[in-house]
Tab-separated table of all heavy atoms in Angstrom:
chain	number	residue	atom	x	y	z
I	9	GLY	N	-7.859	0.772	-6.883
I	9	GLY	CA	-8.831	-0.022	-6.161
I	9	GLY	C	-10.074	-0.295	-6.987
I	9	GLY	O	-10.279	0.275	-8.054
I	10	GLY	N	-10.912	-1.198	-6.473
I	10	GLY	CA	-12.133	-1.544	-7.162
I	10	GLY	C	-12.757	-2.788	-6.580
I	10	GLY	O	-12.373	-3.261	-5.513
I	11	LEU	N	-13.734	-3.339	-7.305
I	11	LEU	CA	-14.454	-4.545	-6.914
I	11	LEU	C	-13.859	-5.740	-7.636
I	11	LEU	O	-13.689	-5.711	-8.865
I	11	LEU	CB	-15.939	-4.407	-7.253
I	11	LEU	CG	-16.824	-5.618	-6.997
I	11	LEU	CD1	-16.882	-5.943	-5.511
I	11	LEU	CD2	-18.216	-5.366	-7.547
I	12	VAL	N	-13.540	-6.796	-6.896
I	12	VAL	CA	-12.954	-7.998	-7.469
I	12	VAL	C	-13.554	-9.217	-6.769
I	12	VAL	O	-13.914	-9.154	-5.599
I	12	VAL	CB	-11.415	-7.977	-7.342
I	12	VAL	CG1	-10.984	-7.993	-5.882
I	12	VAL	CG2	-10.778	-9.120	-8.110
I	13	GLN	N	-13.662	-10.334	-7.499
I	13	GLN	CA	-14.186	-11.566	-6.923
I	13	GLN	C	-13.124	-12.280	-6.096
I	13	GLN	O	-11.926	-12.100	-6.323
I	13	GLN	CB	-14.691	-12.490	-8.027
I	13	GLN	CG	-15.896	-11.955	-8.771
I	13	GLN	CD	-16.462	-12.949	-9.763
I	13	GLN	OE1	-15.886	-14.001	-10.001
I	13	GLN	NE2	-17.605	-12.611	-10.331
I	14	PRO	N	-13.535	-13.095	-5.118
I	14	PRO	CA	-12.555	-13.896	-4.377
I	14	PRO	C	-11.669	-14.700	-5.322
I	14	PRO	O	-12.143	-15.275	-6.304
I	14	PRO	CB	-13.422	-14.800	-3.504
I	14	PRO	CG	-14.677	-14.024	-3.313
I	14	PRO	CD	-14.903	-13.290	-4.609
I	15	GLY	N	-10.365	-14.724	-5.014
I	15	GLY	CA	-9.387	-15.377	-5.865
I	15	GLY	C	-8.803	-14.491	-6.935
I	15	GLY	O	-7.833	-14.895	-7.599
I	16	GLY	N	-9.340	-13.303	-7.113
I	16	GLY	CA	-8.876	-12.394	-8.145
I	16	GLY	C	-7.668	-11.582	-7.727
I	16	GLY	O	-7.120	-11.745	-6.638
I	17	SER	N	-7.267	-10.663	-8.622
I	17	SER	CA	-6.071	-9.852	-8.431
I	17	SER	C	-6.351	-8.389	-8.707
I	17	SER	O	-7.237	-8.050	-9.490
I	17	SER	CB	-4.943	-10.312	-9.369
I	17	SER	OG	-4.577	-11.653	-9.121
I	18	LEU	N	-5.578	-7.517	-8.065
I	18	LEU	CA	-5.578	-6.084	-8.310
I	18	LEU	C	-4.172	-5.557	-8.104
I	18	LEU	O	-3.405	-6.109	-7.303
I	18	LEU	CB	-6.510	-5.336	-7.355
I	18	LEU	CG	-8.014	-5.333	-7.606
I	18	LEU	CD1	-8.714	-4.621	-6.446
I	18	LEU	CD2	-8.349	-4.651	-8.920
I	19	ARG	N	-3.825	-4.479	-8.800
I	19	ARG	CA	-2.579	-3.766	-8.570
I	19	ARG	C	-2.891	-2.340	-8.148
I	19	ARG	O	-3.524	-1.582	-8.892
I	19	ARG	CB	-1.679	-3.756	-9.803
I	19	ARG	CG	-0.298	-3.152	-9.515
I	19	ARG	CD	0.618	-3.128	-10.718
I	19	ARG	NE	0.221	-2.134	-11.703
I	19	ARG	CZ	0.993	-1.722	-12.706
I	19	ARG	NH1	2.213	-2.230	-12.859
I	19	ARG	NH2	0.534	-0.824	-13.560
I	20	LEU	N	-2.443	-1.962	-6.956
I	20	LEU	CA	-2.594	-0.613	-6.453
I	20	LEU	C	-1.338	0.194	-6.751
I	20	LEU	O	-0.231	-0.341	-6.763
I	20	LEU	CB	-2.844	-0.606	-4.948
I	20	LEU	CG	-3.996	-1.478	-4.437
I	20	LEU	CD1	-4.146	-1.294	-2.927
I	20	LEU	CD2	-5.290	-1.159	-5.165
I	21	SER	N	-1.504	1.494	-6.968
I	21	SER	CA	-0.395	2.397	-7.228
I	21	SER	C	-0.389	3.524	-6.215
I	21	SER	O	-1.441	4.005	-5.802
I	21	SER	CB	-0.495	3.003	-8.633
I	21	SER	OG	-0.440	2.013	-9.632
I	22	CYS	N	0.800	3.948	-5.822
I	22	CYS	CA	1.003	5.122	-4.988
I	22	CYS	C	1.951	6.036	-5.740
I	22	CYS	O	3.150	5.745	-5.842
I	22	CYS	CB	1.582	4.734	-3.629
I	22	CYS	SG	2.072	6.135	-2.596
I	23	ALA	N	1.423	7.118	-6.292
I	23	ALA	CA	2.226	8.090	-7.016
I	23	ALA	C	2.711	9.152	-6.044
I	23	ALA	O	1.911	9.744	-5.316
I	23	ALA	CB	1.413	8.723	-8.138
I	24	GLY	N	4.021	9.394	-6.031
I	24	GLY	CA	4.614	10.321	-5.090
I	24	GLY	C	5.209	11.542	-5.752
I	24	GLY	O	5.533	11.533	-6.940
I	25	SER	N	5.333	12.593	-4.967
I	25	SER	CA	6.045	13.788	-5.381
I	25	SER	C	6.961	14.219	-4.242
I	25	SER	O	6.837	13.752	-3.112
I	25	SER	CB	5.084	14.910	-5.768
I	25	SER	OG	4.334	15.351	-4.640
I	26	GLY	N	7.877	15.125	-4.552
I	26	GLY	CA	8.858	15.563	-3.574
I	26	GLY	C	10.197	14.900	-3.810
I	26	GLY	O	10.275	13.744	-4.237
I	27	THR	N	11.267	15.613	-3.508
I	27	THR	CA	12.610	15.111	-3.792
I	27	THR	C	12.990	13.913	-2.934
I	27	THR	O	13.858	13.126	-3.317
I	27	THR	CB	13.647	16.226	-3.604
I	27	THR	OG1	13.570	16.738	-2.269
I	27	THR	CG2	13.406	17.354	-4.593
I	28	VAL	N	12.358	13.739	-1.775
I	28	VAL	CA	12.724	12.664	-0.870
I	28	VAL	C	12.069	11.333	-1.239
I	28	VAL	O	12.488	10.278	-0.764
I	28	VAL	CB	12.358	13.049	0.585
I	28	VAL	CG1	10.848	13.035	0.788
I	28	VAL	CG2	13.057	12.138	1.587
I	29	PHE	N	11.045	11.338	-2.112
I	29	PHE	CA	10.214	10.157	-2.303
I	29	PHE	C	11.021	8.922	-2.698
I	29	PHE	O	10.826	7.839	-2.139
I	29	PHE	CB	9.119	10.428	-3.337
I	29	PHE	CG	8.198	9.254	-3.550
I	29	PHE	CD1	7.160	9.006	-2.672
I	29	PHE	CD2	8.380	8.395	-4.620
I	29	PHE	CE1	6.316	7.927	-2.852
I	29	PHE	CE2	7.541	7.310	-4.815
I	29	PHE	CZ	6.507	7.074	-3.920
I	30	ASN	N	11.918	9.032	-3.651
I	30	ASN	CA	12.617	7.866	-4.191
I	30	ASN	C	13.675	7.287	-3.257
I	30	ASN	O	14.122	6.162	-3.482
I	30	ASN	CB	13.247	8.187	-5.544
I	30	ASN	CG	12.271	8.079	-6.694
I	30	ASN	OD1	11.168	7.549	-6.538
I	30	ASN	ND2	12.670	8.581	-7.847
I	31	VAL	N	14.076	8.015	-2.220
I	31	VAL	CA	15.048	7.487	-1.266
I	31	VAL	C	14.407	7.142	0.069
I	31	VAL	O	15.085	6.640	0.961
I	31	VAL	CB	16.227	8.458	-1.057
I	31	VAL	CG1	16.982	8.659	-2.357
I	31	VAL	CG2	15.753	9.792	-0.512
I	32	ALA	N	13.119	7.379	0.200
I	32	ALA	CA	12.421	7.156	1.454
I	32	ALA	C	11.803	5.767	1.510
I	32	ALA	O	11.488	5.152	0.482
I	32	ALA	CB	11.328	8.205	1.641
I	33	THR	N	11.612	5.291	2.730
I	33	THR	CA	10.841	4.078	2.963
I	33	THR	C	9.353	4.390	2.830
I	33	THR	O	8.866	5.370	3.400
I	33	THR	CB	11.137	3.513	4.356
I	33	THR	OG1	12.508	3.087	4.404
I	33	THR	CG2	10.238	2.333	4.678
I	34	VAL	N	8.636	3.571	2.054
I	34	VAL	CA	7.213	3.756	1.803
I	34	VAL	C	6.472	2.508	2.258
I	34	VAL	O	6.944	1.386	2.056
I	34	VAL	CB	6.942	4.047	0.316
I	34	VAL	CG1	5.443	4.150	0.041
I	34	VAL	CG2	7.647	5.326	-0.112
I	35	ASP	N	5.311	2.711	2.864
I	35	ASP	CA	4.503	1.629	3.414
I	35	ASP	C	3.116	1.616	2.785
I	35	ASP	O	2.604	2.648	2.346
I	35	ASP	CB	4.303	1.801	4.928
I	35	ASP	CG	5.585	2.075	5.668
I	35	ASP	OD1	6.387	1.124	5.797
I	35	ASP	OD2	5.774	3.224	6.122
I	36	TRP	N	2.489	0.436	2.783
I	36	TRP	CA	1.058	0.301	2.555
I	36	TRP	C	0.398	-0.114	3.864
I	36	TRP	O	0.895	-0.999	4.570
I	36	TRP	CB	0.745	-0.745	1.483
I	36	TRP	CG	0.999	-0.294	0.086
I	36	TRP	CD1	2.095	-0.552	-0.679
I	36	TRP	CD2	0.121	0.486	-0.742
I	36	TRP	NE1	1.968	0.014	-1.924
I	36	TRP	CE2	0.761	0.659	-1.986
I	36	TRP	CE3	-1.145	1.049	-0.548
I	36	TRP	CZ2	0.188	1.375	-3.043
I	36	TRP	CZ3	-1.717	1.766	-1.590
I	36	TRP	CH2	-1.053	1.919	-2.813
I	37	TYR	N	-0.718	0.535	4.184
I	37	TYR	CA	-1.585	0.191	5.299
I	37	TYR	C	-2.984	-0.076	4.760
I	37	TYR	O	-3.316	0.341	3.652
I	37	TYR	CB	-1.656	1.316	6.324
I	37	TYR	CG	-0.437	1.472	7.209
I	37	TYR	CD1	0.732	2.048	6.734
I	37	TYR	CD2	-0.471	1.056	8.540
I	37	TYR	CE1	1.841	2.197	7.550
I	37	TYR	CE2	0.630	1.212	9.364
I	37	TYR	CZ	1.777	1.782	8.864
I	37	TYR	OH	2.870	1.936	9.688
I	38	ARG	N	-3.817	-0.739	5.557
I	38	ARG	CA	-5.212	-0.909	5.170
I	38	ARG	C	-6.110	-0.805	6.389
I	38	ARG	O	-5.696	-1.099	7.506
I	38	ARG	CB	-5.439	-2.241	4.452
I	38	ARG	CG	-5.374	-3.482	5.332
I	38	ARG	CD	-5.507	-4.731	4.471
I	38	ARG	NE	-5.663	-5.944	5.265
I	38	ARG	CZ	-5.683	-7.170	4.760
I	38	ARG	NH1	-5.562	-7.346	3.442
I	38	ARG	NH2	-5.834	-8.219	5.563
I	39	GLN	N	-7.354	-0.378	6.162
I	39	GLN	CA	-8.338	-0.209	7.221
I	39	GLN	C	-9.656	-0.833	6.778
I	39	GLN	O	-10.380	-0.247	5.969
I	39	GLN	CB	-8.526	1.264	7.565
I	39	GLN	CG	-9.410	1.494	8.774
I	39	GLN	CD	-9.317	2.913	9.293
I	39	GLN	OE1	-8.915	3.826	8.572
I	39	GLN	NE2	-9.674	3.101	10.546
I	40	PRO	N	-9.984	-2.034	7.300
I	40	PRO	CA	-11.292	-2.628	7.001
I	40	PRO	C	-12.411	-1.795	7.615
I	40	PRO	O	-12.190	-1.040	8.568
I	40	PRO	CB	-11.209	-4.008	7.655
I	40	PRO	CG	-9.749	-4.260	7.863
I	40	PRO	CD	-9.154	-2.911	8.119
I	41	PRO	N	-13.637	-1.943	7.105
I	41	PRO	CA	-14.745	-1.147	7.651
I	41	PRO	C	-14.953	-1.431	9.135
I	41	PRO	O	-15.037	-2.586	9.551
I	41	PRO	CB	-15.948	-1.579	6.810
I	41	PRO	CG	-15.551	-2.874	6.181
I	41	PRO	CD	-14.069	-2.806	5.994
Side-chain angles (χ1 to χ4, degrees):
L11 176 64
V12 64
Q13 294 186 353
S17 299
L18 281 175
R19 187 180 72 166
L20 307 183
S21 298
C22 173
S25 65
T27 58
V28 71
F29 182 81
N30 277 348
V31 298
T33 294
V34 176
D35 311 288
W36 284 98
Y37 285 76
R38 72 184 189 186
Q39 187 166 21

